[in-house]
Every structure is written in C-alpha cells, then in structure tokens.
Amino acid sequence: MLEDRWLIWKLRNGREDGLIRAYSKYKDTLLRVACALCRDTCQAEDVVQDIFVALAESAGRLRLDGNLRGYLMRCLVNRVKNLKTAKGSKPTVPLNEEMVVYDRRSNPEQWVVLDEQIQRACQALSQLPDEQRLVIGLYVYAGLKFRDIAELEQISINTVQSRYRYGLEKLRILLEGEVKP
C-alpha cells in the first residue's frame, strides 16, 4: 500500500518510472484475471494494454487513496463488462497456460501433468456463468477478499460468497464429470 501511494504520486507528477513500476507490478495479475473473465487470451491482453494506456493518459488526474491495485481491478472489470455488452461474450480463442506463470526448468515431467490440469481447469472455468467466473477470478487470480469484491461489484458480501461457492461446486462437477467413465 505504501508503494502504491508512492506510485500514484509518481504518476500524478508525470514520472515515467511510476508507470513502468506499476506495469511490472500488476500486469501479470491483471492478465490472469482478464483471461479468466474474457475467455480469450488475445482480448485479455488488449484489455490489460488498454488499462495501462488509459492510466498513462489520465495519470495527472488520478484521485486515489493509495489502492492502485483496487483501482486497476475496477478498471479491468468495467472494461471487460463493456466489451461483453458491446460485442457479446463468445470466446474466439481458448484459454491456455498464459493464465499461470511458472518456471518450467524444474521437473519437466511435473509440468506436462500440470499443463494438462491447467487446460482442464480453464475449460471448466469457461463454462461458468459470468458472475461466478468473475468472483472466482478476482478471488483466486487477483487475491481479492470477498468484501473487496463486494465493494468492487457493488453487491452484498453474501452474494459474493454464494457466487463463489456455487462456482466452485459447478467446477467440481464439471471436473469430476471428465474423470468418471
């Protein structure tokens, strides 16, 4: 939080290093959440790029309390919702391993198994309703707490918890259905 306040100060004062640091600090998290929400990796990359371009353009006018991460997540969720409203929500490119960042140098056999599991999980996640996928994406990939998601979405914390629980249950059913003969 202290670093975010420093970054916001740098952004407001036109310091390029503030934008560079904000990008390096939050791009991976934003991309994982965008992938989970968009179901299209190309579109997810475009959304994240658009967010940082907009941040650069409006940096001098930022009115934040020091929570840059929360602000960027709000921008991401709003941009994804606007895209879905404008274009519909049909995916054009399947989700893939870009949602997970890991080092493949250690134990390659383990990564082959993990890649397969990631593909199965991404496929199941893409079958969830948008509301459930949003809550799971923000909770798992962005690490937001339920109360933060509730505030971001302007819904009750009970609704957030229900969407999370129902989403996990549906994921469990989808994934177990693949395994059963």
Side-chain angles (χ1 to χ4, degrees):
M1 183 89 122
L2 186 58
E3 183 183 16
D4 279 4
R5 289 178 190 226
W6 182 243
L7 289 174
I8 292 167
W9 180 87
K10 285 183 172 190
L11 289 166
R12 283 186 188 145
N13 289 291
R15 301 269 309 267
E16 187 177 312
D17 61 329
L19 183 62
I20 291 169
R21 176 63 186 136
Y23 179 78
S24 67
K25 183 176 181 181
Y26 292 115
K27 72 175 167 70
D28 290 338
T29 300
L30 290 171
L31 184 58
R32 283 191 293 271
V33 173
C35 283
L37 300 180
C38 292
R39 294 184 274 183
D40 177 341
T41 55
C42 293
Q43 188 178 50
E45 290 170 351
D46 289 344
V47 166
V48 172
Q49 180 181 349
D50 290 347
I51 289 169
F52 283 104
V53 168
L55 179 64
E57 291 174 347
S58 65
R61 301 182 306 271
L62 283 177
R63 303 241 188 283
L64 298 177
D65 62 355
N67 189 355
L68 183 59
R69 178 177 175 234
Y71 172 77
L72 292 172
M73 284 298 160
R74 277 192 304 274
C75 291
L76 175 75
V77 169
N78 290 338
R79 193 164 301 263
V80 169
K81 284 181 179 179
N82 290 342
L83 281 173
K84 287 184 181 211
T85 301
K87 296 181 182 177
S89 62
K90 187 174 180 174
T92 57
V93 178
L95 290 174
N96 60 30
E97 68 214 42
E98 292 175 27
M99 292 178 60
V100 179
V101 178
Y102 50 81
D103 182 8
R104 291 178 177 265
R105 291 174 289 195
S106 61
N107 197 352
E109 297 84 19
Q110 175 187 2
W111 296 120
V112 170
V113 173
L114 185 58
D115 280 343
E116 183 179 313
Q117 292 172 343
I118 290 169
Q119 291 299 322
R120 288 180 47 235
C122 290
Q123 180 63 25
L125 188 62
S126 71
Q127 295 178 44
L128 294 180
D130 290 342
E131 298 84 15
Q132 293 172 3
R133 191 174 54 259
L134 173 67
V135 170
I136 290 172
L138 291 173
Y139 185 79
V140 173
Y141 295 119
L144 295 181
K145 294 179 173 42
F146 288 140
R147 75 170 176 275
D148 297 330
I149 297 170
E151 182 180 313
L152 180 68
E153 285 296 292
Q154 298 178 346
I155 56 177
S156 76
I157 194 167
N158 290 336
T159 302
V160 170
Q161 291 170 330
S162 294
R163 288 177 181 175
Y164 182 76
R165 185 177 64 249
Y166 292 139
L168 286 184
E169 183 59 31
K170 185 164 185 179
L171 282 175
R172 195 172 296 116
I173 290 168
L174 289 168
L175 292 171
E176 286 175 1
E178 276 186 14
V179 176
K180 291 181 180 176

